[in-house]
Amino acid sequence: MTSPTGPRALGDYLKARRAQLDPGDCGLPGTDSARRVTGLRREEVAQLAAISVDYYTRLEQGRVRASAPVLATLVRALRLDEDQQSYLYELAGRTDDRPRRRRPVQEVRPAMRRLLDQLTGTPALVLGRRLDVLAWNPAAVALYTDFAGIPASRRNYLRLIFTDPAVREMHREWHHDARDAVAALRMEAAADADDPALDSLVAELSARDADFRAWWAEHRVSSATYGTKQYRHPLVGDLTLDCDTWGGSDGSGQRLMVLTAETGTPSHDALRILTSWTAGRTDAGRARNRTP
């Protein structure tokens, strides 16, 4: 039985893939003569990949192991998408040489946007990968900061907790909250270890904060979706808020974080006062809470 990976399996995939391609779509000149094969010829793949016909033939026959540079040029020649690229490198036994996956731009899902717009009396944020802040409502601005004034590339919940003096000072239990946020990021890193933006964030915070370095080295992880936050707001004083996070099921990694207070408590009254001050700016806030 043929191995599911290795030179023979790679050769079978190369033959199958070139049979799926049209010469015209690959920029090859047309021909008036009838083609004896479906798709591309071996010679045409070799031409597109800038390798010898003999070498490509041996690849298809499973007589030679593909090098990383050859795989990279075959990806372009055979017009492989990201899933097909992953499959190609897996068959070739060169997963360590695979280019890092290109991540799509984070855009707030319409359902998340609708939920956010409907939450007028309570602070709410949409968090993306790496705890990036993707969207917010006016109440979240009143509680935390003017997110629109922060460049999109720097708009990150964990970065705010560690580097923004006002946000840091507002957390009455800063060490507890910051350590939990690090654990949440560490959990995400385990599932997406090759994210260069995450590596950059970790390197930045490690260089700037000794607590972050220590907590990151602990390898403590957390996927908690609820908890309690203790704040001391400069305008309304102490707040005890329940923090709940709901994740989408579409694989985007987007989460809606909502902060509420129990009805009838001083925190509920203070939150109502705080959000009422932003009511007149609701439309403007909604217009500005989109990631550029």
Side-chain angles (χ1 to χ4, degrees):
M1 185 172 66
T2 303
S3 170
T5 62
R8 290 291 298 276
L10 175 64
D12 290 341
Y13 180 62
L14 292 175
K15 284 184 284 187
R17 178 57 186 167
R18 68 179 171 87
Q20 298 168 0
L21 296 173
D22 183 86
D25 293 338
C26 297
L28 294 170
T31 176
D32 295 332
S33 59
R35 298 181 66 88
R36 290 179 295 176
V37 297
T38 302
L40 302 183
R41 302 186 182 97
R42 285 176 176 170
E43 295 80 5
E44 291 169 330
V45 175
Q47 175 187 341
L48 291 169
I51 58 178
S52 70
V53 177
D54 177 66
Y55 183 76
Y56 180 75
T57 300
R58 285 185 288 149
L59 277 176
E60 279 202 358
Q61 293 173 345
R63 294 163 50 201
V64 64
R65 186 168 183 258
S67 65
V70 166
L71 288 176
T73 194
L74 285 173
V75 164
R76 294 189 295 272
L78 296 174
R79 299 186 166 226
L80 303 184
D81 62 25
E82 289 188 347
D83 289 339
Q84 292 167 330
Q85 289 179 44
S86 297
Y87 185 60
L88 179 77
Y89 279 85
E90 192 76 39
L91 292 178
R94 289 191 174 275
T95 54
D96 291 342
D97 298 317
R98 182 175 55 206
R100 287 183 170 179
R101 189 179 183 92
R102 190 178 304 163
R103 288 162 177 80
V105 175
Q106 299 189 90
E107 295 183 354
V108 181
R109 293 174 51 242
M112 286 286 196
R113 175 71 63 189
R114 288 193 297 271
L115 279 172
L116 191 67
D117 288 345
Q118 291 169 17
L119 293 169
T120 58
T122 186
L125 302 168
V126 176
L127 302 177
R129 298 188 302 271
R130 305 173 296 272
L131 305 182
D132 288 343
V133 179
L134 304 184
W136 55 92
N137 64 4
V141 172
L143 178 64
Y144 288 113
T145 188
D146 181 10
F147 295 102
I150 304 171
S153 61
R154 306 285 299 169
R155 204 180 289 146
N156 178 274
Y157 183 72
L158 193 65
R159 183 182 282 114
L160 282 171
I161 289 177
F162 277 92
T163 67
D164 187 299
V167 173
R168 181 169 179 148
E169 181 66 23
M170 189 179 72
H171 285 76
R172 288 159 55 196
E173 297 181 346
W174 182 86
H175 283 82
H176 174 273
D177 294 345
R179 191 171 178 230
D180 277 355
V182 172
L185 188 70
R186 173 60 87 173
M187 187 79 176
E188 183 170 332
D192 197 7
D194 64 343
D195 181 359
L198 189 146
D199 293 341
S200 177
L201 176 65
V202 170
E204 175 194 341
L205 296 181
S206 295
R208 297 182 64 168
D209 194 281
D211 285 324
F212 180 88
R213 287 196 302 275
W215 295 334
W216 187 256
E218 287 178 346
H219 285 261
R220 177 172 170 262
V221 295
S222 174
S223 60
T225 58
Y226 62 91
T228 302
K229 303 288 187 186
Q230 303 285 343
Y231 295 125
R232 177 164 290 122
H233 196 275
L235 297 179
V236 295
D238 289 352
L239 294 165
T240 299
L241 303 179
D242 291 323
C243 180
D244 292 271
T245 306
W246 289 272
S249 59
D250 62 345
S252 67
Q254 292 182 17
R255 289 149 285 182
L256 180 68
M257 187 177 94
V258 180
L259 295 133
T260 59
E262 185 177 354
T263 303
T265 63
S267 292
H268 181 260
D269 295 338
L271 192 58
R272 288 183 61 187
I273 293 171
L274 186 63
T275 56
S276 69
W277 290 342
T278 66
R281 301 193 299 271
T282 297
D283 292 337
R286 287 175 181 169
R288 298 176 68 199
N289 75 349
R290 284 161 166 76
T291 301

